[in-house]
């Protein structure tokens, strides 16, 4: 795997000098770091518990479900999820669990283990988000109807709220929201799985990104340009309307909203912002934020809903800046109906 990363880094150094004027090498360096964490399961346990506690304590109802870890059954080497009544291979164990209400639940779990190097988590009953359409069809729900649209909007709202809070309030967030890590549960509840890749943003980048969120939500080219500088994103321009193009680049990189009728952005197209403004230096620490936004955009396209995460995150960004003393209370914007930002493709 690390050989593949090295090859990717060599390719990045080549292509960023020719076809894409973007600091791809820094991105691959962050990928190298994150992949190394994938096999540290004690780190994953701590990350999962930290995020679970934050989301559950800061909301009347958590926007996403996070599996609960059975403490004591984890090491850095082996990781298994115990699934109720579903057998894998190996030796049978009976595990006694305590629920929140005090009642006991026996999990009949069969799993392979090595010297009890195991991570055990709650079983969450849900369907993968990629099979959501099939599940709706099974239940006689029209995937294009009002009920399905409402469910899809709720799913995106939940994910967007969870990520807005994680990234902007604490800077510590789940950094791998690809479809395989998302389950849809009863009542359109969303479960977020696999905490092998998490990111802890320094406060300087967290608050700098909050400034950028406001700039994108306000479509303010001056603030977007200033935010890029604050974040340490070094750019070079070969266009006349640099600030307006900088805003467009920021929205392309860090917002989920797409132009009307567009379902995929092409970095190689002649009118792409990256062709007009090159990114000479990109902070490695920001890659996980960039990747998260693009994965959320992909999910929104798959669900057929075009929306702006920047507009959804505006109140959270304002709160973060206000708490840090960087925004006066009079300048905060009250969003009474954030759902209005959702639009169908």
């Amino acid at each position: 795997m690390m050989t593949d990363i090295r090859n990717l880094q060599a390719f990045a150094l080549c292509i960023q000098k020719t076809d894409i004027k973007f600091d791809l090498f820094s991105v691959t360096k962050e990928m190298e770091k994150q992949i190394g964490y994938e096999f540290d399961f004690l780190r994953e346990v701590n990350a999962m518990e930290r995020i679970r506690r934050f989301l559950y304590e800061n909301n009347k109802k958590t926007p996403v479900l996070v599996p609960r870890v059975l403490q004591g059954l984890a090491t850095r080497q082996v990781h298994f999820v115990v699934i109720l009544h579903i057998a894998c291979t190996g030796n049978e164990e009976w595990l006694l669990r305590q629920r929140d209400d005090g009642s006991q639940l026996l999990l009949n779990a069969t799993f392979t283990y090595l010297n009890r190097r195991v991570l055990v988590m709650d079983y969450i009953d849900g369907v993968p988000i990629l099979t959501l359409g099939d599940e709706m069809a099974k239940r006689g729900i029209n995937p294009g109807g009002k009920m399905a649209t409402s469910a899809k909007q709720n799913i995106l709202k939940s994910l967007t709220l969870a990520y807005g809070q994680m990234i902007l309030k604490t800077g510590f967030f789940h950094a791998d929201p690809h479809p395989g890590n998302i389950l849809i549960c009863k009542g359109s509840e969303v479960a977020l799985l696999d905490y092998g890749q998490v990111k802890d943003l320094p406060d300087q980048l967290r608050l700098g990104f909050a400034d950028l969120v406001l700039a994108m939500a306000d479509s303010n080219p001056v603030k977007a340009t200033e935010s890029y500088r604050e974040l340490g994103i070094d750019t070079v321009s070969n266009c006349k309307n640099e600030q307006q193009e900088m805003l467009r680049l920021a929205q392309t990189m860090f917002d989920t909203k797409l132009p009307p009728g567009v379902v995929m952005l092409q970095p190689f197209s002649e009118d792409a912002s990256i062709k007009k403004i090159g990114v000479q230096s990109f902070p490695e620490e920001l890659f996980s934020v960039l990747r998260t936004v693009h994965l959320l955009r992909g999910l929104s396209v798959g669900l057929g809903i075009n929306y702006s995460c920047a507009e959804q995150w505006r109140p959270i960004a304002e709160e973060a800046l206000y708490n840090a003393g960087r925004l006066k209370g009079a300048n905060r914007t009250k969003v009474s109906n954030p759902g209005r930002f959702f639009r169908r493709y």
Side-chain angles (χ1 to χ4, degrees):
M1 183 180 293
M2 300 316 293
T3 300
D4 292 337
I5 289 291
R6 300 287 191 277
N7 291 336
L8 184 61
Q9 289 171 348
F11 179 69
L13 286 171
C14 176
I15 198 172
Q16 70 186 34
K17 293 178 181 178
T18 55
D19 296 299
I20 297 181
K21 303 301 181 182
F22 190 93
D23 181 15
L24 295 172
F25 182 73
S26 292
V27 170
T28 62
K29 292 295 290 182
E30 179 66 15
M31 290 172 60
E32 179 181 12
K33 186 190 305 180
Q34 286 294 324
I35 287 174
Y37 292 145
E38 280 278 4
F39 304 101
D40 186 344
F41 301 122
L42 287 181
R43 181 178 184 271
E44 181 172 352
V45 167
N46 293 332
M48 192 185 316
E49 286 297 288
R50 179 175 171 181
I51 289 174
R52 185 179 190 277
R53 185 166 56 250
F54 165 74
L55 290 175
Y56 280 69
E57 290 178 355
N58 284 272
N59 296 278
K60 290 183 179 179
K61 180 182 179 182
T62 178
V64 297
L65 302 176
V66 179
R68 184 171 48 182
V69 176
L70 185 58
Q71 294 290 347
L73 293 180
T75 73
R76 295 187 184 278
Q77 297 182 25
V78 182
H79 169 197
F80 289 93
V81 180
V82 174
I83 301 178
L84 183 62
H85 299 315
I86 295 182
C88 299
T89 59
N91 300 303
E92 185 171 305
E93 296 281 338
W94 286 90
L95 300 175
L96 187 63
R97 282 299 313 271
Q98 285 290 129
R99 285 188 171 180
D100 290 335
D101 60 6
S103 63
Q104 294 181 337
L105 172 66
L106 281 176
L107 298 183
N108 184 4
T110 305
F111 54 89
T112 301
Y113 69 98
L114 176 62
N115 295 330
R116 297 191 180 277
R117 294 170 183 170
V118 180
L119 168 58
V120 183
M121 296 178 287
D122 281 341
Y123 169 63
I124 295 181
D125 188 14
V127 298
I129 194 170
L130 287 176
T131 65
L132 183 61
D134 295 337
E135 190 66 24
M136 286 182 175
K138 286 180 185 178
R139 301 185 182 191
I141 300 173
N142 178 7
K146 290 184 178 180
M147 183 182 297
T149 299
S150 177
K152 293 173 183 178
Q153 288 179 345
N154 287 335
I155 290 167
L156 275 180
K157 280 183 182 179
S158 297
L159 283 168
T160 304
L161 176 59
Y163 273 98
Q165 290 183 349
M166 287 188 286
I167 293 172
L168 294 166
K169 282 192 172 185
T170 70
F172 188 78
F173 63 99
H174 178 289
D176 198 19
H178 66 75
N181 286 339
I182 300 171
L183 289 182
I184 308 304
C185 308
K186 186 177 180 181
S188 300
E189 281 194 305
V190 180
L192 200 54
L193 311 178
D194 191 354
Y195 291 74
Q197 287 190 36
V198 293
K199 190 65 187 176
D200 197 357
L201 282 181
D203 279 347
Q204 180 183 356
L205 288 182
R206 177 177 65 86
L207 296 173
F209 183 66
D211 277 326
L212 181 61
V213 166
L214 296 187
M216 293 187 295
D218 293 336
S219 294
N220 188 323
V222 175
K223 286 181 65 176
T225 302
E226 292 173 352
S227 296
Y228 258 46
R229 300 291 177 263
E230 181 184 1
L231 288 168
I233 302 175
D234 185 21
T235 61
V236 57
S237 171
N238 61 356
C239 61
K240 294 181 180 179
N241 195 359
E242 180 179 353
Q243 288 188 336
Q244 195 63 42
E245 203 61 50
M246 186 74 80
L247 171 63
R248 186 180 170 212
L249 177 64
Q251 291 172 330
T252 299
M253 292 175 62
F254 292 107
D255 197 5
T256 53
K257 191 174 182 179
L258 292 171
V262 175
V263 295
M264 181 181 297
L265 294 175
Q266 297 287 353
F268 294 101
S269 65
E270 288 303 318
D271 64 339
S273 295
I274 202 69
K275 293 280 189 178
K276 302 173 184 177
I277 297 183
V279 178
Q280 293 182 313
S281 178
F282 185 81
E284 296 176 17
E285 300 279 351
L286 277 180
F287 167 66
S288 292
V289 177
L290 176 67
R291 181 172 184 266
T292 295
V293 170
H294 281 254
L295 286 170
L296 289 175
R297 179 189 288 160
L299 287 171
S300 72
V301 171
L303 293 173
I305 298 173
N306 191 11
Y307 83 112
S308 166
C309 68
E311 292 175 356
Q312 298 288 303
W313 288 346
R314 175 206 289 272
I316 307 173
E318 288 180 336
E319 181 183 355
L321 292 168
Y322 177 78
N323 290 338
R326 293 175 48 163
L327 184 69
K328 294 182 179 180
N331 295 329
R332 296 177 68 180
T333 304
K334 184 177 180 180
V335 180
S336 59
N337 183 20
R340 73 179 186 272
F341 295 127
F342 286 87
R343 298 179 178 87
R344 296 287 298 277
Y345 278 109

